[in-house]
Amino acid sequence: MEKPTHNTADSDSAVESLRFLTPEQVRTIREQFGTPVFVYDELSLERQAKTMLSFPNAFGLTVYYSLKGGAGGAIIRLFDRLGLHFDASSIWEAMRAIAVGVAPAKILLTAQEVPPDFGQYVERGMEFNACSLRQLELYGKKFPGREVSIRVNPGTGTGFINRLTSGGPRASFGIWHEQLDEVRALLKKYRLKVKRVHHHVGSGHDPEAWLRIAADTLNIAKTFGPVSIINLGGGYRVKALRTEQEIDYRDIGERLRRLFGNYASETGVKPRLEIEPGTFLVANCGSLVTSVVDVISTGENGYNFIKLDAGLTEVIRPGFYGSLHPLVSIPAEGELRATAKEYLVTGHTCIAGDTLTVAVRDPETFAPQLISETEPGDLLVVERAGGYCSSMNMKNFNSFPEAAEVLLRKDGRFDVIRKRQTLEQMTQNEVLPKDLMAVATA
C-alpha cells in the first residue's frame, strides 16, 4: 500500500505558524499552568464577534453564539457583553448560560431532548424552537395562543462530511418539509402564531448550497403568515490550514440580503435575519498547548511519530470528522528549528485512533504533516482549538483529567478560566456499595 503524503504543500513554507501566541508565551504557559492547557485569545474572540455582528442584512440582525462550540463561563460572559445572543442545544447549555448571568430572553433553545420543565424557562423569557411535531404539540398544550418558533428540515442539507449534514432525509433535525400541513393543524388547534422559521442544514457547509437552501426556507416561511424572523443556523467554515481557501462570507451575505429584499417585496414583511455561528466565532481564537513526551520511528518504510501529553481527551475532531488542525512545534528553548520533517502526531490514550494527523474527511487514513523538527521535551501547539475541542472531548478516557483553560487578555496577562481537574473531582460521584468498601488484606 502506498504511503500517504502529508496534508500540506511540499515546501518549508507549508510549515504552520502560531496564530496569536509567541514562542516565548508558549513556554511561559507551560511553566505557569502545565500542559495540556487550552489558551483563548480575548482580542481574537472580540474581533470575530464584531465581524459576525456586521454580517450583511436587509432588515436587522441577531447573532446567536452556538454554545455547543464551547460553553465556558468566561467566553459566554465575554460574548454577552459584546451583544451576542445564545443558541442552546440542550437545557443544560441554557442553564449554564443563565448561571453566569445571561438573560433567558437572549437564549434560543433548539434541542432534540426537551425536559418536562421547559415551560418554567419559557415563562422566564427564554425562546423555544419546536424541532418536531411532538415538541410543537407539547408547547401548544402549555402555551396556547402564543407565538412559537419552528425548526424546519427543508429536504436537503450541506456539511463538511455526511455526519455533519443536518438537513435532508437522513437527518432527524427539524420538522420534515412535507409535514407542514400537520404543523398548520397544530397551530390552529392551539391558536399559535409562527414568529420564527429556523433551519440548520449542516456544519462546515458549502456556502453556495447553503444560499440555495436559504431560498427554500424563505419560501417555506411565506406560507406561515408570512414570518418576520428567519433563522438560518450556523455551520460557517473558517480557514484553519495555510493551504485552505478563505470563504468570502461578505459576498454570501450580500446575496442573502437580496433574497430578503425579494421576500419583503412579495409579502410586505421585512424579515429579521438570525444566524448561529459557533466555529466561526471561536475556532481560530483558541490553541491547545501540549508537551512532546516522545519521538519515535517505525523504520525506513514506516513513520516518524510525535507523541503528546494530550489527545482524544482534548481534541477528538480529526478522529471523528477527518478535520485537520495546524500543528506547530516549539523548541523547549532556543530558536525555532529551520528544518522540517513529516510526522504522524499521536495522543496519550491507549487507542490506535488517537491521532491528529489524518487525511481530510477520512479519519481512517493517517497522513503525516510537515512539522519543524521536534525532540522530546519540546512543545507542540494545536491551533484551531477554540471550538468543538474542550466542549467535545473524550472526557476522562484512561482517567486523564480535564485540561486547564486560560484566557489571554488584551493587556497580555493570562487568567485561569478553568482549573485542571483533580482525581478527587474525577471520582467524586462514584459510590462504593458497603460490601465493597473494605480494603482486602493479604
Side-chain angles (χ1 to χ4, degrees):
M1 184 175 181
E2 186 177 350
K3 185 175 173 181
T5 58
H6 57 72
N7 287 305
T8 53
D10 191 13
S11 69
D12 287 344
S13 64
V15 175
E16 296 288 345
S17 57
L18 294 172
R19 297 304 189 262
F20 57 83
L21 294 169
T22 67
E24 193 53 46
Q25 284 177 317
V26 172
R27 298 181 184 115
T28 298
I29 287 165
R30 178 163 68 176
E31 291 174 6
Q32 290 187 3
F33 309 106
T35 58
V37 58
F38 287 97
V39 185
Y40 303 93
D41 181 37
E42 182 179 15
L43 192 62
S44 298
L45 290 165
E46 186 175 290
R47 181 191 64 239
Q48 291 301 98
K50 289 180 178 179
T51 296
M52 267 296 163
L53 287 166
S54 66
F55 191 84
N57 62 88
F59 308 111
L61 171 72
T62 302
V63 178
Y64 286 83
Y65 169 54
S66 183
L67 288 165
K68 58 181 175 285
I75 306 298
I76 294 173
R77 286 296 299 269
L78 178 61
F79 282 156
D80 188 33
R81 290 179 177 179
L82 290 169
L84 300 188
H85 289 220
F86 298 89
D87 161 52
S89 294
S90 75
I91 196 64
W92 298 98
E93 286 183 350
M95 288 191 294
R96 285 182 73 173
I98 292 170
V100 294
V102 175
K106 295 182 71 174
I107 300 172
L108 175 64
L109 178 67
T110 305
Q112 302 313 298
E113 177 187 350
V114 175
D117 64 347
F118 80 94
Q120 68 165 295
Y121 296 97
V122 174
E123 292 285 19
R124 293 171 62 184
M126 188 178 71
E127 301 266 11
F128 177 83
N129 200 15
C131 297
S132 68
L133 294 172
R134 178 177 177 274
Q135 287 189 14
L136 182 59
E137 180 135 37
L138 287 173
Y139 182 88
K141 287 179 180 179
K142 284 184 178 291
F143 302 109
R146 293 200 187 182
E147 292 184 318
V148 68
S149 301
I150 58 170
R151 176 173 180 169
V152 175
N153 183 332
T156 188
T158 170
F160 181 71
I161 57 174
N162 285 338
R163 66 175 63 177
L164 285 173
T165 301
S166 49
R170 293 185 296 181
S172 66
F173 302 96
I175 301 170
W176 185 240
H177 66 107
E178 294 177 342
Q179 297 176 330
L180 297 183
D181 283 344
E182 295 174 64
V183 171
R184 294 184 185 91
L186 288 171
L187 295 176
K188 182 177 180 180
K189 179 179 179 180
Y190 295 106
R191 297 175 286 108
L192 300 172
K193 176 178 172 56
V194 176
K195 68 177 292 188
R196 174 190 290 103
V197 169
H198 169 279
H199 84 204
H200 179 86
V201 293
S203 298
H205 57 238
D206 170 20
E208 294 295 334
W210 178 80
L211 198 60
R212 291 193 298 271
I213 300 169
D216 294 338
T217 298
L218 282 165
N219 286 331
I220 289 172
K222 292 175 189 175
T223 69
F224 284 103
V227 178
S228 60
I229 302 175
I230 308 295
N231 187 314
L232 297 178
Y236 310 106
R237 293 186 193 180
V238 296
K239 178 178 178 179
L241 300 174
R242 294 163 67 105
T243 53
E244 292 177 334
Q245 294 294 316
E246 195 84 58
I247 293 174
D248 184 3
Y249 279 109
R250 303 296 302 180
D251 175 65
I252 296 295
E254 289 297 339
R255 291 157 64 189
L256 182 66
R257 189 209 298 262
R258 292 195 287 273
L259 290 178
F260 272 57
N262 294 338
Y263 179 101
S265 297
E266 294 174 24
T267 66
V269 173
K270 297 179 178 179
R272 185 175 187 84
L273 170 64
E274 293 180 343
I275 53 178
E276 297 171 349
T279 295
F280 190 93
L281 288 170
V282 294
N284 284 326
C285 306
S287 304
L288 176 66
V289 177
T290 74
S291 292
V292 176
V293 298
D294 214 341
V295 178
I296 70 166
S297 169
T298 50
E300 185 177 347
N301 296 318
Y303 300 93
N304 298 307
F305 289 85
I306 296 172
K307 294 188 175 186
L308 307 178
D309 65 350
L312 291 170
T313 45
E314 287 73 35
V315 181
I316 200 172
R317 297 179 68 257
F320 193 47
Y321 294 148
S323 301
L324 304 186
H325 290 256
L327 305 173
V328 186
S329 179
I330 305 296
E333 57 185 13
E335 299 296 319
L336 299 182
R337 299 189 182 99
T339 56
K341 293 170 64 174
E342 289 185 347
Y343 290 99
L344 291 178
V345 178
T346 60
H348 58 176
T349 67
C350 188
I351 186 169
D354 189 356
T355 180
L356 291 167
T357 42
V358 297
V360 179
R361 297 183 175 89
D362 181 9
E364 286 294 303
T365 300
F366 291 0
Q369 284 192 28
L370 193 66
I371 300 172
S372 297
E373 200 160 2
T374 301
E375 299 175 357
D378 288 346
L379 298 108
L380 190 131
V381 179
V382 182
E383 296 289 9
R384 194 249 170 266
Y388 299 92
C389 290
S390 173
S391 66
M392 194 177 156
N393 59 47
M394 191 180 285
K395 180 178 177 179
N396 294 154
F397 183 59
N398 283 169
S399 293
F400 284 112
E402 281 185 297
E405 301 185 19
V406 300
L407 180 66
L408 172 57
R409 309 309 301 268
K410 288 187 287 186
D411 62 6
R413 76 181 190 276
F414 292 102
D415 283 341
V416 175
I417 58 174
R418 182 193 294 274
K419 297 178 181 178
R420 191 175 309 281
Q421 187 183 33
T422 65
L423 177 61
E424 290 74 20
Q425 291 168 334
M426 196 186 308
T427 60
Q428 66 184 356
N429 291 327
E430 294 181 8
V431 179
L432 285 177
K434 289 183 178 180
D435 63 312
L436 297 178
M437 292 180 67
V439 179
T441 58

